[in-house]
Amino acid sequence: MEKDAATIKDLPEQERPRERLLRFGPQSLSTADLLAIILRTGTAKASAIRLAEKLLADFGSLKGVATADPEEMSRMFGLGQAKVAQICAAMELGKRLAAFMEDSKPTIRGPEDVAQLLMPELRHEPKEHFKALYLDVKSRVLRARTVFVGTLDGSTVHPREVFREAISLAAASIIAAHNHPSGDPTPSPEDIAITHRLLAAGQVIGIDLVDHVIIGDGRWVSLKERGMLG
């Protein structure tokens, strides 16, 4: 590995992986950046970021790093036992989390399941949180994502932001949900407008919007049950 004298500390603070993770969230970082945080420091020949990039390139992917032989990893990159152990431990945690999530995907049979899933999180939020539940063909939740936080109007939730992840997850359908901080889940004209925009976008893309559930304080409303998805 060629000499790379630069270290993470040489970067501007706003460009350092750990600082960006804390400011913008882990989803904003590349795989190499996340791996660099696990490594913490580099070697005499490479910074942590350069080392992470080299690991991913030489082993082909993150999966390749996860399945690499620890002795081979140490020998190829001059890594000490501590760094190899850090990588192996992080990869094993990822495997266990993935196995847990696969076994615990909630199934959505109706709007009451959506309410049960999201009510504890959303009922006391002081701001509106718009979430998308991405479902597989068996109506199991692949992922729940907060798309927007703030005051909703007819244009704040863009279909592009909602369906981009649906496409990447190969989701079969979507359920929209958001809370009303007032505690009253009665749909507003803005709620209905957002629903119709998402419904139209889903029809074009081929991913159905199954429902839009509004969460109040101990109460909820399904726009599908109220006939507002047509």
Side-chain angles (χ1 to χ4, degrees):
M1 194 184 305
E2 66 272 17
K3 180 72 174 178
D4 182 1
T7 67
I8 288 178
K9 289 184 178 179
D10 294 323
L11 295 172
E13 185 171 341
Q14 67 272 17
E15 295 298 324
R16 299 173 191 171
R18 184 174 63 185
E19 282 73 11
R20 285 194 288 120
L21 183 148
L22 294 173
R23 184 175 181 182
F24 302 111
Q27 68 278 1
S28 67
L29 272 64
S30 68
T31 301
D33 287 336
L34 293 170
L35 187 54
I37 291 174
I38 293 168
L39 290 166
R40 297 182 59 195
T41 60
T43 65
K45 294 184 178 181
S47 68
I49 292 176
R50 178 70 180 113
L51 180 57
E53 292 172 342
K54 186 70 173 171
L55 280 163
L56 291 167
D58 285 13
F59 286 115
S61 65
L62 183 61
K63 182 178 180 180
V65 175
T67 56
D69 178 75
E71 290 186 8
E72 181 186 13
M73 193 182 300
S74 178
R75 184 175 63 256
M76 287 178 62
F77 299 91
L79 298 178
Q81 290 184 341
K83 288 192 185 300
V84 172
Q86 286 165 205
I87 295 172
C88 291
M91 299 302 166
E92 180 60 24
L93 283 172
K95 292 176 188 176
R96 295 185 186 187
L97 179 59
F100 171 79
M101 293 179 69
E102 181 67 30
D103 292 340
S104 61
K105 290 177 183 175
T107 299
I108 303 299
R109 301 175 183 85
E112 62 277 1
D113 291 326
V114 178
Q116 184 177 10
L117 181 65
L118 298 179
M119 184 80 69
E121 175 187 354
L122 296 180
R123 68 186 298 178
H124 298 306
E125 284 288 349
K127 294 182 178 180
E128 289 183 290
H129 288 239
F130 189 96
K131 300 181 77 73
L133 302 183
Y134 301 99
L135 311 181
D136 64 14
V137 293
K138 295 183 179 180
S139 296
R140 296 177 301 184
V141 178
L142 296 169
R143 185 172 301 169
R145 178 192 169 206
T146 300
V147 178
F148 180 83
V149 178
T151 302
L152 298 180
D153 60 39
S155 62
T156 51
V157 178
H158 199 286
R160 178 179 60 249
E161 301 302 319
V162 176
F163 285 96
R164 178 187 292 124
E165 192 151 2
I167 294 169
S168 68
L169 291 170
S173 59
I174 290 176
I175 293 177
H178 78 279
N179 63 306
H180 280 180
S182 67
D184 180 2
T186 301
S188 68
E190 292 76 18
D191 297 337
I192 298 169
I194 289 171
T195 303
H196 288 167
R197 290 183 72 205
L198 294 176
L199 188 67
Q203 290 170 344
V204 171
I205 295 170
I207 300 176
D208 291 337
L209 177 70
V210 176
D211 202 348
H212 184 174
V213 179
I214 302 174
I215 306 294
D217 187 3
R219 297 180 291 159
W220 53 268
V221 166
S222 160
L223 271 67
K224 179 180 180 179
E225 288 188 344
R226 293 205 173 185
M228 295 179 178
L229 258 66

